Amino acid sequence: IDSKKHEWLPLKGRFGKALNFERYQDFSVALWLKALNENVEGVIFQRNNSEFEGWRGFCATLQPDGKLNVLFSYVYPANCI
């Protein structure tokens, strides 16, 4: 995050392509997250296709109550966990 503009910065280098893998490849994610303020919400990471392909992919978001929401979808919202 750009601390002056409070905007997300794109990942560069080795980690910029960290979520770029194929559906047949195993993967795992580990992270430590500390919200700077209470009641913060937003996307932590995501990768999905467009609306025309059913939003196929995954997403992790932080909810305002501090809970982590993880979504894996094949066709959102009909076929996802």
Side-chain angles (χ1 to χ4, degrees):
I1 295 178
D2 184 333
S3 60
K4 294 179 182 177
K5 296 180 182 178
H6 300 286
E7 295 177 351
W8 291 100
L9 298 174
L11 294 174
K12 296 181 181 178
R14 185 176 116 189
F15 297 107
K17 297 182 180 180
L19 299 177
N20 190 15
F21 50 86
E22 297 299 324
R23 66 175 191 253
Y24 56 83
Q25 294 175 302
D26 296 336
F27 73 97
S28 64
V29 175
L31 61 101
W32 285 88
L33 180 70
K34 180 179 179 181
L36 300 176
N37 299 312
E38 292 183 19
N39 299 322
V40 173
E41 66 178 316
V43 175
I44 300 169
F45 62 85
Q46 76 173 17
R47 180 168 184 228
N48 57 31
N49 294 332
S50 68
E51 179 180 4
F52 300 108
E53 294 185 25
W55 299 108
R56 183 174 300 129
F58 53 87
C59 181
T61 58
L62 183 63
Q63 302 301 314
D65 59 2
K67 293 181 182 175
L68 178 67
N69 183 32
V70 179
L71 173 76
F72 296 95
S73 64
Y74 184 73
V75 177
Y76 181 83
N79 189 3
C80 59
I81 55 173

